[in-house]
Amino acid sequence: MRKKLVFKLTFYFTIVLLILSIGIGIVFTILFRNHTVDLYKRNLVNSAVGVSETLSEFTFRMQYSRFPLFDFPNRNNFYFSNDAQVYISFLNSITMANVWIIDRDYNFITTGTSYYDGSRVYTFSELPHNAEKVIQKVFEGETTFSEVFGNFFETPTLTVGVPIVSQNGEVIGVVLLHSPIDYMQKAIEQGIKTLVISILLALVLSVILSFSFAWAFTKPMDKIRNVTLELAKGNYEVKTDVSQDDEIGDVAKAVDILSERLNEASREREKLDKMRKDFVANISHELRTPVTVIRGSVEALHDKVVTEPKQVEEYYSHLLAESIYLQRLVNDLLDLSRLQNADFSLNKEEVNLLSIVHESVRSARRLCTEKDISINFESDMDVEVINGDFDRLRQMILIILDNAIKFSSTGSTIDITYRNFILSITDHGEGIREEDLPYIFDRFYKMRDEKNKEGTGLGLAIAKQIALRHDIAVTVDSKENEYTTFSFDFSNIVSYK
């Protein structure tokens, strides 16, 4: 996948660069051509203006009026002055152009390399179409450009016409500079050739850099891909090890978070599986004993193994006791299952917490008579309104009181206090071993002694679930053979503080 993506990115980068290069090349070619033509025209104009100004100066120094650019002894035999001849000869070599000079009477004084010395003389009929208009505009004082002389010279030619102005401002002649534009075309072609070579080299370099960048760009994506494949295989401990402050880095972080969540979920699933197995094992163990006793008793009675009335009565008592234990165990399991189910709703309403405590104490005192245990309740108020389920909160307090009575010494006292939203229940009995404290709220966890032989091991688990469903914080403090205190913090559900 990485190779495909690298080649795709490189291809897309190359296409974009190629399009940009072509666009830039076209724009540059147009601008370069226009600039070259403008520069060529300016040079021609500067040369033509220089010729015009020099010839104007010549006419000021000459004493003849009709043809100020030359001397003539008579009207039929005239010739250039020595200064003019030297200058005109010099013009053709330095301008690389054909210099035509035309006077006010449209006489060709010179035409490039041919002087007016009886040799070849051009006439206006030989000139190309619109040439006279060009010359006429120059006589009107304009600097004119034209390409109409191209066919005349049988090569593309650019012509610039500049007027020759006398000292009093009169146009007395015209300078026409005819320059072949093949030099300019060669310069433009050379510039374009250089541009094309530069673009090609830049494209090659860009392709190499694009490939390198694309390879580096897709490297973290390979890591992310490999991690997702490992996650699909069930390995939730892998990490991408990608640290980037961009979108790919965000994806890598999201994958790492997913890996952590899946790892946590896997551990939680393993924990739940273990809890389920432990629950099945515990419930099987808890059910096996009473079922075995009941079956043995029933078989003994059925097979007439026991016939004496006293023994029969004892067997019936065992059957009743084990049946009551089974009923309590089933009820506790149902209660715990309901409380752990998020869909099971409690009947919450505004109730007086202290009334619940008083009701629980009255019920618990009936259990205290056999061991001569007294219960003291102190509170700094008579009413504390909370939002809760009356019956479930009463059940929670009774579970704690039942355990407190069960493990208290004969003639001892159970102290209950309520201050600052905290209800504390303290018994002065055996206490809880420090190593047992973390597990007392686990299902089926109970002390294996004679005092707890009738317990199901689900009471404290039920109390903890009731507290959790009411957002009540529960803490336990105990010292072995001295005391045990259960504290319930009701501050989160008190209606009026």
Side-chain angles (χ1 to χ4, degrees):
M1 183 192 73
R2 181 181 178 186
K3 291 182 178 179
K4 291 181 180 179
L5 187 57
V6 168
F7 288 130
K8 282 184 178 181
L9 289 175
T10 304
F11 175 74
Y12 294 149
F13 290 155
T14 304
I15 291 298
V16 171
L17 290 173
L18 183 61
I19 293 173
L20 290 176
S21 299
I22 292 174
I24 292 173
I26 292 173
V27 173
F28 177 81
T29 300
I30 294 173
L31 295 177
F32 179 72
R33 183 181 182 85
N34 292 338
H35 175 73
T36 303
V37 171
D38 291 340
L39 183 61
Y40 197 71
K41 285 182 178 180
R42 285 199 297 269
N43 290 336
L44 282 178
V45 170
N46 292 335
S47 298
V49 170
V51 172
S52 172
E53 291 175 350
T54 303
L55 293 177
S56 177
E57 185 178 351
F58 272 127
T59 60
F60 180 72
R61 297 204 309 257
M62 297 300 173
Q63 57 182 344
Y64 301 99
S65 60
R66 183 181 176 194
F67 296 103
L69 296 179
F70 51 84
D71 297 323
F72 59 98
N74 55 63
R75 298 188 63 84
N76 297 321
N77 187 13
F78 49 87
Y79 55 89
F80 288 110
S81 65
N82 290 333
D83 289 342
Q85 289 180 9
V86 173
Y87 180 70
I88 295 298
S89 176
F90 181 64
L91 287 178
N92 294 301
S93 63
I94 66 171
T95 60
M96 293 187 299
N98 288 326
V99 182
W100 287 9
I101 301 175
I102 304 172
D103 67 3
R104 190 65 184 173
D105 295 329
Y106 290 88
N107 295 311
F108 288 86
I109 305 305
T110 179
T111 55
T113 59
S114 300
Y115 302 138
Y116 193 81
D117 55 0
S119 62
R120 174 81 167 85
V121 178
Y122 296 118
T123 64
F124 273 95
S125 62
E126 299 177 84
L127 297 181
H129 181 64
N130 291 332
E132 186 176 357
K133 292 182 179 179
V134 174
I135 297 172
Q136 182 62 40
K137 286 184 178 180
V138 179
F139 273 114
E140 293 175 357
E142 297 182 16
T143 298
T144 307
F145 292 95
S146 177
E147 296 181 11
V148 300
F149 292 91
N151 293 332
F152 182 78
F153 291 107
E154 297 180 352
T155 183
T157 303
L158 180 63
T159 300
V160 59
V162 177
I164 302 173
V165 183
S166 65
Q167 295 297 318
N168 58 7
E170 181 184 358
V171 177
I172 58 176
V174 170
V175 175
L176 296 180
L177 255 65
H178 306 287
S179 177
I181 62 176
D182 54 346
Y183 298 109
M184 180 182 66
Q185 293 290 357
K186 289 180 180 178
I188 293 175
E189 291 174 0
Q190 186 64 31
I192 294 174
K193 182 179 179 181
T194 303
L195 174 65
V196 171
I197 294 174
S198 301
I199 289 176
L200 290 176
L201 291 175
L203 280 176
V204 172
L205 181 60
S206 298
V207 170
I208 296 174
L209 292 176
S210 298
F211 186 84
S212 301
F213 291 152
W215 188 270
F217 177 78
T218 56
K219 185 176 181 180
M221 299 182 68
D222 260 3
K223 293 183 178 180
I224 295 174
R225 173 179 173 271
N226 294 334
V227 168
T228 55
L229 291 176
E230 289 297 319
L231 292 177
K233 294 176 182 178
N235 182 10
Y236 302 135
E237 297 181 355
V238 292
K239 298 293 181 181
T240 60
D241 295 327
V242 175
S243 179
Q244 295 181 195
D245 190 16
D246 54 18
E247 287 77 4
I248 293 180
D250 292 340
V251 174
K253 291 177 183 177
V255 172
D256 288 341
I257 292 173
L258 175 62
S259 175
E260 292 177 2
R261 296 291 185 273
L262 290 174
N263 196 22
E264 292 174 1
S266 178
R267 290 196 297 266
E268 186 66 23
R269 186 178 66 249
E270 292 175 357
K271 181 180 178 181
L272 290 175
D273 288 342
K274 185 178 183 300
M275 291 176 61
R276 180 180 58 81
K277 292 176 181 179
D278 292 343
F279 175 78
V280 172
N282 289 330
I283 194 65
S284 299
H285 179 270
E286 294 295 330
L287 290 173
R288 184 183 295 113
T289 301
V291 169
T292 301
V293 172
I294 291 174
R295 179 180 176 179
S297 299
V298 171
E299 287 178 349
L301 292 172
H302 180 269
D303 296 337
K304 307 298 182 180
V305 174
V306 178
T307 56
E308 294 183 6
K310 186 176 181 180
Q311 289 182 330
V312 171
E313 185 177 351
E314 289 179 358
Y315 272 72
Y316 281 134
S317 298
H318 287 157
L319 286 173
L320 178 60
E322 295 300 331
S323 299
I324 293 173
Y325 173 79
L326 281 177
Q327 183 182 24
R328 186 186 306 116
L329 178 62
V330 171
N331 290 336
D332 287 347
L333 285 172
L334 289 175
D335 282 345
L336 186 60
S337 176
R338 291 192 190 100
L339 291 169
Q340 289 178 334
N341 185 2
D343 295 331
F344 177 72
S345 59
L346 301 179
N347 185 24
K348 291 184 178 182
E349 58 185 353
E350 289 191 349
V351 294
N352 183 6
L353 173 62
L354 301 182
S355 296
I356 298 175
V357 176
H358 283 298
E359 180 70 21
S360 302
V361 169
R362 279 195 295 270
S363 299
R365 280 187 175 132
R366 301 190 188 98
L367 305 175
C368 296
T369 55
E370 293 183 3
K371 300 178 70 173
D372 193 24
I373 296 174
S374 61
I375 301 176
N376 297 327
F377 176 43
E378 296 181 3
S379 173
D380 54 1
M381 59 181 64
D382 295 327
V383 177
E384 185 71 278
V385 180
I386 62 172
N387 185 30
D389 186 321
F390 186 97
D391 292 331
R392 291 296 178 183
L393 291 173
R394 178 178 177 275
Q395 180 184 8
M396 178 185 73
I397 297 173
L398 277 175
I399 289 172
I400 305 302
L401 288 175
D402 181 66
N403 280 348
I405 294 170
K406 187 185 300 182
F407 295 102
S408 292
S409 303
T410 301
S412 63
T413 302
I414 298 175
D415 297 319
I416 303 175
T417 60
Y418 181 76
R419 294 184 180 88
N420 299 322
F421 313 124
I422 296 178
L423 177 68
S424 298
I425 301 176
T426 303
D427 69 81
H428 304 278
E430 297 180 4
I432 303 173
R433 293 191 300 269
E434 185 176 356
E435 58 269 22
D436 291 332
L437 279 175
Y439 310 105
I440 61 174
F441 293 108
D442 292 348
R443 289 175 295 184
F444 299 110
Y445 189 86
K446 60 180 181 179
M447 297 179 62
R448 302 295 177 179
D449 59 13
E450 187 65 24
K451 295 180 180 179
N452 201 29
K453 64 180 181 178
E454 295 181 356
T456 62
L458 297 174
L460 290 180
I462 293 173
K464 182 64 177 292
Q465 287 298 320
I466 294 174
L468 290 176
R469 293 295 298 269
H470 283 84
D471 196 19
I472 300 171
V474 183
T475 57
V476 182
D477 180 30
S478 181
K479 189 172 182 180
E480 194 172 359
N481 297 319
E482 290 190 17
Y483 69 90
T484 299
T485 300
F486 284 81
S487 299
F488 299 87
D489 186 352
F490 289 86
S491 59
N492 291 330
I493 59 173
V494 172
S495 298
Y496 306 101
K497 295 183 181 180

